[in-house]
Amino acid sequence: MPAGAHRVAVIGGDGIGPEVVAEALKVVAAAGVPLETAQFDLGADRYLRTGDVLPDGVLEELRGFDAVLLGAVGPPIGSTAVPPGVLERGLLLRLRFELDLYVNLRPFNGAPGSIGEGADFAVVRENTEGPYAGEGGVLRRGTRYEIATQGSVNTRHGVERCIRYAFGLAESRGGPQHVTLVHKTNVLTYSGDLWQRTFAEVAAERPAVSTRYQHVDAACIFMVERPGDYDVIVTDNLFGDILTDLAGAVAGGIGLAASANLNPARDGPSLFEPVHGAAHDIAGTGRANPLAAIRSAAMMLEHLGESDAAGRITKAVLAEQTEMVRSAAEWSTASVGDAVAGRL
C-alpha cells in the first residue's frame, strides 16, 4: 500500500458502470493521489448469479474503507429478471441508511448550448428519510379493495442536519451565499411545516446567507426558465430525486451529473457515484461518457481532504465537457478519460 494512500472500495456494478469507473480511477492516478482499491462484485449480475444483494459480511467489510466509488447498478431496461425495488432497497438504500449517508450532494454546471448554460448551483437532498424510509404497507393486495399506504418520515434531527449542511455549503462555495428551500408546504402541511420552521430557525442563525422558499412545482418551472438564479437548493428525499434529474437535463444531460452520498460526521465511508444508470444498450461500445464518474471521483477526493487534486480534476472535467460540446470530433470512453488526465 503506497504511503498515505486512501482505502477505496470500488463497486463497478453493471452495464457501463465498470467502464466509467475505470476512467475515474485513471484520472485520480494522473492527479497524483495514491489509492488502495478493492473491487466488490455487487449489482444485478451478482443477484442473478447468486441471489445475493448486499450480504451482511460485505456491508461490514465496506465500513472499513475511507470511501466507496460506485459505477452503476441495474438490469437492462425492460428486464423482469430482477424484481423492482430489489437492488434499490437492498443495495443502494441500504448503504445510505446503514452508513448514515444523510446528504446527497449534486453539483450542476450548465454546459455550452444547454438550457442552463453558465449556471452553477448545487442541490442538497436529504438522503435517509422521506418516502424512501420504507414506512407503509398494503392490505387486500390483488383485490378490487386493495389499500396501499406510503408515508413520508421526517424527523427534526434528520431535517435540521441536512439544512445545516446546505447553509454551510452556501457559505463555502464562494458564490452569492443563497439557499432555496424546495417543498410543497401548501399540501404536505405536516412534513412541510417541519421543514419550513427548521429552515427559518437555521436561517436566523446565519444572517449572511440569503434565503427563499419555492413550491416544488414552481421550482421545476424556474429551474428551466432561470437556472442561473440558484446557488444552493435544499429539499427532501423524493423532491430531490426528481429535481436533480431535471437539473441534469437542464445542465446538459444526465450523463454529466455527478453525486456524493455523504456522511459528514465521517464515522464511516461516504459513497460517490454518477447519477446515470447502467445503460446496458451501450455497454462495451466505448460510447459511455465517463465525465460524471470522473467528477464523482473528484468529489470523493475533496471529501478525503485532497482539495488541490479535486479542484484540478473538476476544472479539467468542465473544460473537457465544453470541448466535447463544441467539437464534432469522435470520442470514446477511454479517450475522454485520457483527455481529462492529460489536462492535469
Side-chain angles (χ1 to χ4, degrees), residues 26-322:
K26 175 197 297 182
V27 170
V28 170
V33 178
L35 300 180
E36 179 194 7
T37 61
Q39 300 286 334
F40 286 82
D41 176 23
L42 297 169
D45 286 346
R46 173 171 179 155
Y47 173 77
L48 292 174
R49 290 196 319 270
T50 68
D52 292 331
V53 179
L54 179 59
D56 291 344
V58 174
L59 175 61
E60 290 307 308
E61 193 174 352
L62 290 173
R63 292 185 193 275
F65 286 82
D66 299 322
V68 180
L69 183 63
L70 186 147
V73 296
I77 293 176
S79 170
T80 59
V82 181
V86 167
L87 293 177
E88 293 82 357
R89 299 211 68 85
L91 177 56
L92 299 177
L93 292 184
R94 189 182 181 201
L95 284 172
R96 294 174 188 176
F97 297 156
E98 292 280 354
L99 301 177
D100 201 21
L101 308 178
Y102 67 84
V103 165
N104 184 275
L105 174 62
R106 300 187 182 185
F108 297 95
N109 295 86
S114 68
I115 296 173
E117 181 173 354
D120 177 4
F121 63 93
V123 179
V124 175
R125 164 190 170 192
E126 199 290 315
N127 212 29
T128 59
E129 296 187 347
Y132 295 6
E135 190 277 337
V138 63
L139 296 173
R140 307 187 186 101
R141 189 175 188 277
T143 75
R144 61 184 296 188
Y145 303 106
E146 183 170 344
I147 302 169
T149 64
Q150 193 82 60
S152 179
V153 176
N154 300 264
T155 68
R156 171 66 191 230
H157 169 70
V159 170
E160 181 175 344
R161 64 183 183 174
C162 185
I163 289 173
R164 288 193 179 280
Y165 182 89
F167 273 80
L169 179 65
E171 291 172 335
S172 68
R173 276 169 48 85
Q177 295 195 36
H178 187 277
V179 180
T180 302
L181 170 63
V182 174
H183 211 278
K184 190 67 175 172
T185 57
N186 58 336
V187 176
L188 303 177
T189 54
Y190 300 118
S191 60
D193 177 62
L194 173 57
W195 273 87
Q196 195 160 48
R197 282 187 292 107
T198 307
F199 184 78
E201 291 172 23
V202 174
E205 301 172 12
R206 319 286 271 270
V209 180
S210 58
T211 64
R212 70 180 162 203
Y213 169 80
Q214 290 177 348
H215 291 327
V216 65
D217 44 346
C220 289
I221 296 171
F222 297 141
M223 182 169 286
V224 172
E225 292 182 342
R226 303 194 300 273
D229 287 356
Y230 293 105
D231 180 24
V232 173
I233 296 170
V234 63
T235 189
D236 86 339
N237 208 336
L238 177 59
F239 294 146
D241 193 358
I242 297 167
L243 203 60
T244 51
D245 278 1
L246 175 61
V250 166
I254 203 70
L256 299 175
S259 77
N261 298 273
L262 298 174
N263 174 346
R266 299 174 184 270
D267 52 12
S270 292
L271 184 150
F272 304 83
E273 59 177 323
V275 175
H276 61 67
H280 288 265
D281 56 326
I282 60 170
T285 67
R287 299 303 299 166
N289 187 339
L291 289 182
I294 296 171
R295 189 168 188 186
S296 298
M299 296 176 76
M300 177 183 74
L301 295 185
E302 180 70 34
H303 184 72
L304 293 173
E306 302 285 354
S307 297
D308 176 70
R312 288 188 287 119
I313 293 173
T314 300
K315 182 178 179 180
V317 166
L318 295 179
E320 188 61 25
Q321 173 180 298
T322 298

